[in-house]
Amino acid sequence: MKATGVVRRVDDLGRIVIPKEIRRTMRIREGEPMEIFIDSGGSVVFRKYSPMGGLAEVAVQLAEALAREAERPCVICDRDGVIACSGVKAQGERISREAESLMESRRPYKGDPIEIIEGGPMADIIIPVIAGGDLSGCVALVAGQNPGREDDTRLARMTAGFMARCMED
């Protein structure tokens, strides 16, 4: 674990303020759900909660099926990073700010390739995963030699819809 040199006191209601610089670095937004647990060494750990994290096994299978059908690599991300991928090494990588911004727009993107992760693969199709009205992540197809086909967009939409449905059930 990385030491920050910041010490905070617990207030009378049991709250601790997470310093602004840590919130900015970790992209923690106001109202964002946090997971709190104790690790094997007895440390209290705060981690951003990802509803898609519980679907990692399903996401891996979907990524493999999508990559096979679209005939190009793909990644499935939660709001922060890659939870499943096929055809590229991106598992666990943090998404780029540009991809995060596109995802936050909640609109499907099909256009010029952008970095899905910093210094990593470029995607030309990005479909947000919206479950119960909340943005949960995205499905992205890695840009290749062929421009995105309409069928690729439909496949990515179907995959995003399936992920959303799994979270709602």
Side-chain angles (χ1 to χ4, degrees), residues 106-127:
R106 295 173 168 247
R107 291 189 310 266
Y109 174 81
K110 181 180 176 189
D112 292 334
I114 62 145
E115 284 184 336
I116 193 73
I117 60 172
E118 299 293 340
M122 308 285 276
D124 60 350
I125 297 173
I126 300 173
I127 308 295

Side-chain angles (χ1 to χ4, degrees), residues 125-152:
I125 297 173
I126 300 173
I127 308 295
V129 175
I130 301 172
D134 294 329
L135 177 66
S136 299
C138 71
V139 173
L141 285 168
V142 174
Q145 295 151 331
N146 310 348
R149 303 174 302 204
E150 202 52 46
D151 285 349
D152 292 350

Side-chain angles (χ1 to χ4, degrees), residues 11 13 17 20 25 30-31 76 80 84 89-90 95 98 101 113 118 131 154 159:
D11 72 10
L13 296 175
V17 174
K20 187 176 187 174
T25 301
E30 183 179 329
I76 298 176
D80 295 308
K89 292 185 192 263
I95 64 171
E98 189 175 11
S101 176
E118 299 293 340
R154 279 197 284 265
T159 304

Side-chain angles (χ1 to χ4, degrees), residues 11 35 54 60 64 68 92 124 137 147 156 167:
D11 72 10
E35 205 172 2
V60 167
E64 289 171 0
R68 187 172 46 252
D124 60 350
M167 285 187 287

Side-chain angles (χ1 to χ4, degrees), residues 43-122:
S43 297
V44 176
V45 178
F46 290 83
R47 180 171 55 197
K48 292 170 76 171
Y49 173 71
S50 170
M52 287 182 62
L55 297 173
E57 287 180 29
V58 172
V60 167
Q61 292 173 353
L62 282 171
E64 289 171 0
L66 176 58
R68 187 172 46 252
E69 291 302 314
E71 298 176 346
R72 59 182 173 146
C74 72
V75 296
I76 298 176
C77 307
D78 63 11
R79 291 184 66 172
D80 295 308
V82 178
I83 63 167
C85 55
S86 182
V88 291
K89 292 185 192 263
Q91 186 73 29
E93 295 288 335
R94 179 180 254 172
I95 64 171
S96 69
R97 293 222 183 255
E98 189 175 11
E100 182 182 22
S101 176
L102 279 173
M103 188 171 52
E104 295 282 339
S105 76
R106 295 173 168 247
R107 291 189 310 266
Y109 174 81
K110 181 180 176 189
D112 292 334
I114 62 145
E115 284 184 336
I116 193 73
I117 60 172
E118 299 293 340
M122 308 285 276

